[in-house]
Amino acid sequence: FSSYNNDPTQQTDLGDGNMAWVGVLSPSTNIGIRKEGLPADLSAYNVSGATLDFDLNVTFYSNENVDLLVKVGSWWPDVSDLRLFSEVLGERPALNTWVPVSVPADALIASPNDLDSGIVDIQDVVELFVVESVDGSLEIQLDNIRWTLPGAR
């Protein structure tokens, strides 16, 4: 796990040894999974039906406009992202409710950086998964983060 202006080590116990990752996100902060060593080639996931999947529980919203950017990145500003609530889910999840999230990988990969000029080089990925708040703050819990190929569910 990695972070920008945040603590990436916070966890909560979901019971029976199952731990979820906790993120307290305010504007200009993020948490993510960063690839150590050589960059990853995720071009196999740039197909229809491939997804970036995870479970999400939002425990706090600072306002009704806050959204969550989901990102995959090479080196800044070569990042692709989507606004999870408005562009993927179509709504904000209810508080304190676990929601399965499935982000279409090809849409994420093709979506330019929301905060600067750039787009991911999918053959040179160092940030496998990043979440960042926009337009406010929120507290989230994440579990079961994974890239999934079509037919592998």
Side-chain angles (χ1 to χ4, degrees):
F1 297 121
S2 65
S3 68
Y4 180 76
N5 291 333
N6 208 320
D7 178 4
T9 63
Q10 299 179 74
Q11 294 186 20
T12 187
D13 189 348
L14 301 177
D16 297 325
N18 187 13
M19 303 297 286
W21 192 19
V22 176
V24 179
L25 300 171
S26 57
S28 300
T29 67
N30 66 45
I31 55 175
I33 300 173
R34 186 174 182 88
K35 171 88 170 62
E36 297 296 325
L38 296 174
D41 180 353
L42 297 184
S43 56
Y45 295 91
N46 196 13
V47 296
S48 178
T51 54
L52 172 57
D53 299 323
F54 55 96
D55 296 325
L56 171 71
N57 181 20
V58 181
T59 58
F60 170 78
Y61 292 110
S62 67
N63 65 61
E64 67 277 355
N65 297 319
V66 67
D67 210 329
L68 189 66
L69 284 178
V70 176
K71 305 178 177 189
V72 59
S74 301
W75 303 101
W76 186 262
D78 295 331
V79 173
S80 293
D81 57 48
L82 289 171
R83 290 178 179 244
L84 182 64
F85 304 151
S86 59
E87 296 178 327
V88 177
L89 298 178
E91 63 185 0
R92 291 183 343 166
L95 286 174
N96 301 305
T97 303
W98 282 97
V99 177
V101 174
S102 189
V103 178
D106 56 347
L108 174 60
I109 292 164
S111 181
N113 186 335
D114 194 70
L115 303 175
D116 203 342
S117 177
I119 195 163
V120 69
D121 175 350
I122 203 60
Q123 295 179 323
D124 190 34
V125 175
V126 294
E127 296 172 327
L128 303 170
F129 172 84
V130 177
V131 289
E132 179 172 339
S133 67
V134 289
D135 302 326
S137 302
L138 68 162
E139 183 172 320
I140 59 173
Q141 298 174 349
L142 297 164
D143 201 15
N144 301 314
I145 304 164
R146 65 213 176 273
W147 286 83
T148 307
L149 289 170
R153 286 187 177 70

